[in-house]
């Protein structure tokens, strides 16, 4: 569980605590612990002046990170004997950029 | 006393012990090239065998040829792909059946290389991209033969390459005093494959040895390297070999061109993966 700024919030993150409207007399939550954020909820929270929220470590993004790390390790292993060849290192960079792009695209969905 | 290398080589290069190719495929491979009579003869031969027809058409319509229209008859396949490519395809149907049992990674690598070769040839406007694609499909046929003949020793070869941090080819040379490129080319000649397919098989790791079909061979070499770099399929080689300087010269490669090729290939491989899963 971690506290993040609303700017860092992304759809599909899971709330670890209820979100209450700032400065409101009523303590009725706007969104409940365990709810998944959606883009419209994030926009709504921004309108209401919410600045930060507490989310669970998102398993989906963790998996994405870990899958990316695995893919990069495998790429590095395949290119192991080519470190002295600049042309081949340029090609490795192309594949690496693709991996990062794929991860970002998957994360946006 | 014979060295272990000599014994292995004799086992592999014994023509009698080559995988037994069905008679109909041998007949097709033996037919005369680029001859009108042969065109009809080959079409008719393939058409007589329903299983062969289905397999040839399935491969002819695969993503690695990237043809605009669906091919529905053998004659159409002959016209569009050409007789050399068809011969290669016919042999590939047999090779695939061998790989399907326990070498699907190698088959996927072959499909990937064929796809990459087609894209490279078209982008660089090298003539007869379908023929080059077929050569790429068959480029590692030597591995299938070595594997079939050596069995457990082949598994040992793979392990050795990984453990000793060697390229597969180095491990082959150490154990067999030859490599899969030479074995593949030898088998290709025994099976009457045309030279347009044999030379790329023989020289895809050593472009300097290529004489008559340098462009084709350079394309197959580049395709092999890029598919290994991609990690698509498993050729048996844990490491990516460098693109040879000769390939840069022959194909006039530069960083931008390579980046465009890699993007196009990676996009196409998604389709190829689906095709590979569907035909298993």
């Amino acid at each position: 569980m971690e506290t993040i700024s609303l700017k860092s919030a992304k759809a599909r993150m899971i709330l670890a605590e209820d979100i209450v409207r700032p400065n409101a007399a009523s303590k009725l939550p706007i969104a409940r612990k365990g709810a998944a954020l959606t883009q419209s909820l994030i926009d709504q929270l921004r309108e209401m002046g919410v600045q930060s929220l507490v989310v669970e470590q998102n398993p989906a993004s963790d998996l994405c990170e870990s899958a990316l790390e695995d893919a990069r390790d495998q790429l590095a292993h395949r290119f192991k004997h080519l470190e002295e060849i600049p042309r081949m290192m340029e090609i490795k960079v192309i594949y690496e950029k693709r991996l990062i792009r794929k991860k970002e695209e998957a994360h946006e969905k | 006393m014979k060295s272990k290398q000599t014994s292995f080589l004799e086992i592999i290069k014994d023509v009698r012990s080559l995988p037994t190719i069905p008679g109909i495929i041998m007949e097709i491979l033996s037919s005369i090239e680029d001859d009108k009579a042969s065109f009809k003869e080959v079409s008719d031969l393939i058409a007589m065998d329903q299983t062969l027809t289905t397999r040839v058409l399935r491969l002819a319509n695969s993503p690695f040829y990237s043809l605009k229209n669906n091919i529905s008859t053998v004659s159409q396949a002959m016209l569009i792909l050409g007789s050399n490519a068809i011969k290669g395809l016919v042999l590939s149907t047999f090779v695939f059946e061998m790989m399907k049992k326990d070498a699907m990674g190698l088959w996927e690598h072959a499909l990937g290389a064929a796809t990459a070769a087609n894209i490279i040839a078209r982008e660089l406007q090298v003539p007869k991209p379908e023929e080059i694609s077929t050569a790429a499909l068959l480029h590692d046929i030597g591995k299938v033969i070595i594997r079939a003949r050596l069995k457990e020793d082949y598994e040992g070869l793979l392990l050795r390459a990984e453990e000793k941090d060697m390229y597969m080819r180095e491990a082959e040379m150490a154990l067999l005093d030859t490599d899969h490129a030479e074995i593949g080319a030898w088998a290709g000649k025994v099976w009457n494959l045309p030279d347009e397919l044999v030379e790329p098989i023989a020289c895809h790791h050593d472009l300097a040895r290529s004489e008559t079909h340098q462009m084709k061979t350079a394309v197959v070499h580049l395709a092999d390297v890029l598919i290994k770099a991609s990690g698509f399929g498993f050729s048996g080689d844990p490491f990516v070999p460098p693109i040879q300087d000769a390939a840069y010269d022959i194909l006039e490669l530069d960083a931008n061109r390579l980046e465009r090729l890699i993007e196009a290939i990676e996009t196409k491989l998604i389709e190829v993966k689906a095709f590979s899963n569907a035909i298993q």
Side-chain angles (χ1 to χ4, degrees):
Chain A
M1 165 158 104
E2 58 177 332
T3 303
I4 61 168
S5 68
L6 191 65
K7 275 187 197 165
S8 307
K10 287 189 171 33
R12 295 199 308 171
M13 285 183 171
I14 307 293
L15 289 173
E17 290 178 2
D18 291 349
I19 299 180
V20 180
R21 190 190 291 264
N23 306 317
S26 165
K27 295 292 175 195
L28 273 177
I30 308 163
R32 286 237 178 243
K33 175 183 169 179
L37 287 176
T38 60
Q39 192 51 53
S40 62
L41 179 57
I42 293 169
D43 293 340
Q44 195 182 352
L45 294 173
R46 190 177 299 114
E47 297 278 51
M48 290 177 182
V50 171
Q51 306 251 325
S52 65
L53 52 159
V54 186
V55 294
E56 301 288 356
Q57 286 289 116
N58 188 333
S61 70
D62 275 355
L63 270 176
C64 277
E65 264 323 308
S66 138
L68 175 62
E69 278 315 301
D70 281 345
R72 287 174 90 170
D73 286 343
Q74 284 165 31
L75 181 67
H77 181 71
R78 291 198 295 276
F79 275 76
K80 190 174 172 178
H81 293 301
L82 304 173
E83 281 153 13
E84 305 292 312
I85 308 176
R87 278 170 169 175
M88 293 308 294
M89 288 295 101
E90 284 174 11
I91 289 174
K92 185 186 165 212
V93 167
I94 295 170
Y95 282 102
E96 227 163 10
K97 284 183 185 168
R98 271 198 68 89
L99 286 175
I100 293 169
R101 219 166 50 235
K102 272 168 70 177
K103 183 235 168 188
E104 284 169 359
E105 284 165 9
H107 205 58
E108 277 162 19
K109 282 183 186 162
Chain B
M1 192 168 97
K2 280 185 196 171
S3 72
K4 199 175 183 186
Q5 284 176 339
T6 312
S7 302
F8 276 136
L9 201 49
E10 283 176 351
I11 292 169
I12 294 167
K13 274 198 168 179
D14 180 353
V15 172
R16 292 165 300 176
S17 70
L18 271 177
T20 308
I21 296 197
I24 188 164
I25 294 182
M26 277 314 297
E27 238 183 296
I28 291 163
L29 295 175
S30 303
S31 65
I32 303 159
E33 200 183 301
D34 289 334
D35 178 88
K36 234 183 184 173
S38 156
F39 184 101
K40 189 170 179 329
E41 181 191 332
V42 170
S43 286
D44 289 349
L45 272 171
I46 297 174
M48 266 167 47
D49 186 320
Q50 189 53 48
T51 305
L52 184 59
T53 300
T54 304
R55 289 174 180 169
V56 167
L57 289 180
R58 187 169 57 194
L59 282 179
N61 285 305
S62 67
F64 60 80
Y65 282 133
S66 259
L67 299 172
K68 288 189 183 119
N69 301 313
N70 194 54
I71 296 180
S72 52
T73 67
V74 172
S75 313
Q76 211 183 352
M78 294 275 309
L79 268 169
I80 292 172
L81 300 177
S83 61
N84 286 340
I86 288 295
K87 284 183 185 177
L89 265 197
V90 163
L91 183 62
S92 298
T93 64
F94 173 72
V95 171
F96 170 59
E97 292 304 312
M98 285 181 70
M99 287 186 186
K100 204 165 66 168
K101 287 169 200 157
D102 58 1
M104 273 313 296
L106 185 57
W107 177 247
E108 283 196 348
H109 169 74
L111 286 180
T115 304
N118 194 280
I119 289 170
I120 295 164
R122 286 176 192 277
E123 165 76 18
L124 304 183
Q125 296 179 313
V126 182
K128 299 193 182 179
E130 291 83 17
E131 198 172 86
I132 300 171
S133 195
T134 311
L137 191 64
L138 290 168
H139 78 282
D140 273 347
I141 192 177
K143 287 182 184 172
V144 180
I145 293 163
I146 295 171
R147 190 189 186 104
R149 293 308 300 143
L150 297 188
K151 298 184 175 46
E152 292 86 20
D153 286 304
Y154 186 80
E155 298 300 325
L157 202 82
L158 289 176
L159 274 170
R160 184 189 173 93
E162 181 74 55
E163 282 166 6
K164 302 250 180 214
D165 244 17
M166 290 165 103
Y167 284 107
M168 182 70 164
R169 204 169 157 237
E170 290 170 335
E172 286 171 350
M173 290 303 297
L175 185 68
L176 310 169
D177 200 26
T178 185
D179 67 2
H180 62 275
E182 188 188 328
I183 295 293
W186 166 75
K189 284 177 191 160
V190 170
W191 289 329
N192 292 316
L193 279 184
D195 200 49
E196 287 84 344
L197 302 183
V198 171
E199 193 170 295
I201 292 171
C203 306
H204 70 272
H205 281 296
D206 188 357
L207 291 183
R209 290 181 48 229
S210 174
E211 292 171 355
T212 321
H213 305 288
Q214 280 199 329
M215 282 277 255
K216 287 185 169 68
T217 306
V219 171
V220 172
H221 163 75
L222 179 60
D224 182 38
V225 173
L226 293 183
I227 290 304
K228 282 173 175 160
S230 168
F232 188 83
F234 181 58
S235 68
D237 221 324
F239 307 112
V240 179
I243 299 171
Q244 291 179 0
D245 289 342
Y248 278 89
D249 296 334
I250 294 165
L251 301 175
E252 294 177 10
L253 297 175
D254 59 38
N256 289 331
R257 198 162 233 192
L258 275 166
E259 185 157 6
R260 283 200 308 275
L261 286 172
I262 289 168
E263 288 295 324
I265 291 165
E266 291 297 306
T267 304
K268 196 68 180 175
L269 286 178
I270 299 167
E271 214 179 310
V272 176
K273 181 68 181 173
F275 172 78
S276 171
N277 290 342
I279 64 173
Q280 282 181 48

